Amino acid sequence: NAGVTQTPKFQVLKTGQSMTLQCAQDMNHNSMYWYRQDPGMGLRLIYYSASEGTTDKGEVPNGYNVSRLNKREFSLRLESAAPSQTSVYFCASSEWFGPGTRLTVT
Amino acid sequence: AQSVAQPEDQVNVAEGNPLTVKCTYSVSGNPYLFWYVQYPNRGLQFLLKYITGDNLVKGSYGFEAEFNKSQTSFHLKKPSALVSDSALYFCAVRDSSSYKLIFGSGTRLLVRP
């Protein structure tokens, strides 16, 4: 039982590059979330998914897309990365959080 | 629209003394309330949640929180603070009719020996 896993742990991108952050859970939860946490700040909700096949915008969705193709996985995609997207990204499954992905965009 | 406020950026308390970290919320329906702790360069650890029932919720590491509907508050408490409790604490809320989970700005707890 791994809980919530996120890959990769660290990533450096150049401006304009794209990438997908992966999140998976093995707790059979319906709801999943993506947050970003900037230095010294709280968590801001990017997107969430109430159940398989559904997604909704959170507080800061611009520049991101998500996909919930099955109950286990909820991915976050940056189509054209910008320095303002440098942050730590956390995935959550119900109330349980993953370890985070530290993303730097240069 | 739902919102959550943590009015104190930092709380200082001496080891062995009781601690309180404040949280107030606003939702249109019934609230689901959560507390998390974050240690430096780590993820968020779930402490406790209120969904319904008893207003006093007990959680991990000796923490508890009291739901007060009339004051729209959900303050985190511990009877006797430890130096190892020093960390960043987050309150979160969602409306019972939605899965949108919103976090407060966080409160840094510093427990001095």
Side-chain angles (χ1 to χ4, degrees), chain A residues 26-98:
Chain A
D26 59 4
M27 296 174 284
N28 203 37
H29 289 149
N30 286 315
S31 59
M32 295 186 74
Y33 304 83
W34 276 107
Y35 293 89
R36 61 177 288 174
Q37 185 178 30
D38 300 312
M41 296 184 67
L43 284 86
R44 291 184 290 172
L45 180 63
I46 304 171
Y47 272 93
Y48 65 104
S49 170
S51 62
E52 177 183 344
T54 69
T55 61
D56 285 286
K57 294 179 180 179
E59 300 169 287
V60 288
N62 291 346
Y64 305 95
N65 285 301
V66 290
S67 178
R68 182 87 183 272
L69 295 178
N70 57 59
K71 197 170 189 177
R72 285 192 68 247
E73 297 169 303
F74 188 37
S75 60
L76 178 72
R77 183 160 178 84
L78 287 69
E79 290 291 351
S80 179
S84 61
Q85 294 178 306
T86 293
S87 191
V88 179
Y89 290 84
F90 289 103
C91 174
S93 174
S94 188
E95 61 260 36
W96 305 102
F97 274 73

Side-chain angles (χ1 to χ4, degrees), chain A residues 30-31 33 35 37 41-43 45 48-50 57-59 90 94-99 102, chain B residues 34 36 38 41-46 49 88 90 94 98-106 108:
Chain A
N30 286 315
S31 59
Y33 304 83
Y35 293 89
Q37 185 178 30
M41 296 184 67
L43 284 86
L45 180 63
Y48 65 104
S49 170
K57 294 179 180 179
E59 300 169 287
F90 289 103
S94 188
E95 61 260 36
W96 305 102
F97 274 73
R102 189 173 294 274
Chain B
F34 304 80
Y36 291 83
Q38 186 178 35
N41 299 312
R42 303 291 296 273
L44 273 78
Q45 295 180 34
F46 169 73
K49 68 179 177 182
L88 193 55
F90 291 99
R94 74 172 175 92
S98 164
Y99 281 93
K100 189 175 183 179
L101 181 63
I102 299 297
F103 279 75
S105 55
R108 190 166 300 281

Side-chain angles (χ1 to χ4, degrees), chain B residues 67-83:
Chain B
F67 171 62
N68 187 317
K69 188 172 183 177
S70 62
Q71 297 186 3
T72 61
S73 67
F74 190 57
H75 302 332
L76 181 71
K77 301 182 180 186
K78 188 174 182 181
S80 178
L82 300 172
V83 172

